[in-house]
């Protein structure tokens, strides 16, 4: 659950995580449908869709971000980030504003968080600023990990901390 996720991030990355927000998969479907679908512009063929603009309902959007055919976790991270950006950009368009009450209702009914309600407006403002000015994000890439098979046969990725730690320091400081 959230406590284990917080502990994992703090232990592995040395970053304090005072708050968490967990959004269930059904919320993703509900939010996209409440938006009237999401339009995503694909730079290349992805998840069985050709490059170009596509309007996806909740089911198709979830299938897009979760597709595993011929790809790996890194491609899924790329698609998820592309989808989140497309959703944020679309929600900022005045034509989407009539959908905001339904989007808010869909999101809040499927959120689990320890973030005090008094901080929700600050989070909303931060998301708005990030949407306008661009998200500052980093992704652990293939070059930052080494494939490894455990004694139990599980395929895992071992971190290359010499490559990962500078990125963490850049984002969060020392």
């Amino acid at each position: 659950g959230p406590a284990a996720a917080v502990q994992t991030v703090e232990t592995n990355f040395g970053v304090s995580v005072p708050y968490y927000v967990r959004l269930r998969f059904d919320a993703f479907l509900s939010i996209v449908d409440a938006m009237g679908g999401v339009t995503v512009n694909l730079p290349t063929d992805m998840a069985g869709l050709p490059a170009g603009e596509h309007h996806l309902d909740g089911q198709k959007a979830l299938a897009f971000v979760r597709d595993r055919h011929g790809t790996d976790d890194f491609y899924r991270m790329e698609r998820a980030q592309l989808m989140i950006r497309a959703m944020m950009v679309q929600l900022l368009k005045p034509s989407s504003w009539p959908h905001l009450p339904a989007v808010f209702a869909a999101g809040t009914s499927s959120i689990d968080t320890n973030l005090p309600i008094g901080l929700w407006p600050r989070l909303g403002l931060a998301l708005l600023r990030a949407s306008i000015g661009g998200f500052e994000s980093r992704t652990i890439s293939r070059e930052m990990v080494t494939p490894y098979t455990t004694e139990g046969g599980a395929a895992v990725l071992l971190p290359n901390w010499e490559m990962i730690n500078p990125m963490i320091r850049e984002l969060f400081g020392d």
Side-chain angles (χ1 to χ4, degrees):
V6 165
Q7 181 62 44
T8 299
V9 170
E10 290 180 345
T11 299
N12 288 291
F13 297 102
V15 176
S16 176
V17 182
Y19 306 114
Y20 68 85
V21 177
R22 177 174 56 175
L23 191 66
R24 295 190 307 265
F25 272 129
D26 61 335
F28 179 83
L29 294 168
S30 300
I31 289 169
V32 171
D33 286 339
M35 292 173 61
V38 64
T39 300
V40 62
N41 193 357
L42 306 181
T44 61
D45 295 356
M46 293 182 172
L49 297 173
E53 190 172 278
H54 299 274
H55 189 77
L56 308 174
D57 65 14
Q59 287 289 340
K60 290 177 184 174
L62 185 59
F64 172 78
V65 298
R66 295 188 74 197
D67 179 67
R68 292 180 178 263
H69 280 72
T71 64
D72 59 17
D73 290 334
F74 297 100
Y75 286 112
R76 283 194 304 282
M77 284 188 292
E78 178 186 3
R79 288 193 306 270
Q81 290 172 357
L82 189 97
M83 181 63 64
I84 290 168
R85 284 184 182 98
M87 291 171 71
M88 295 302 294
V89 166
Q90 184 169 321
L91 286 171
L92 289 175
K93 293 179 180 177
S95 60
S96 293
W97 294 352
H99 296 282
L100 290 179
V103 170
F104 182 77
T108 56
S109 68
S110 298
I111 286 178
D112 172 31
T113 184
N114 68 344
L115 184 69
I117 197 152
L119 294 179
W120 286 31
R122 287 178 59 188
L123 177 62
L125 184 58
L127 288 171
L128 178 63
R129 285 183 181 155
S131 298
I132 294 169
F135 288 96
E136 183 174 346
S137 66
R138 304 290 186 281
T139 303
I140 295 174
S141 66
R142 286 177 188 79
E143 296 76 29
M144 297 177 170
V145 297
T146 303
Y148 177 78
T149 302
T150 66
E151 290 179 13
V156 299
L157 299 172
L158 299 177
N160 178 341
W161 292 113
E162 290 178 6
M163 295 181 79
I164 294 171
N165 283 333
M167 179 178 64
I168 293 170
R169 282 191 297 276
E170 179 185 342
L171 277 172
F172 300 103
D174 290 322

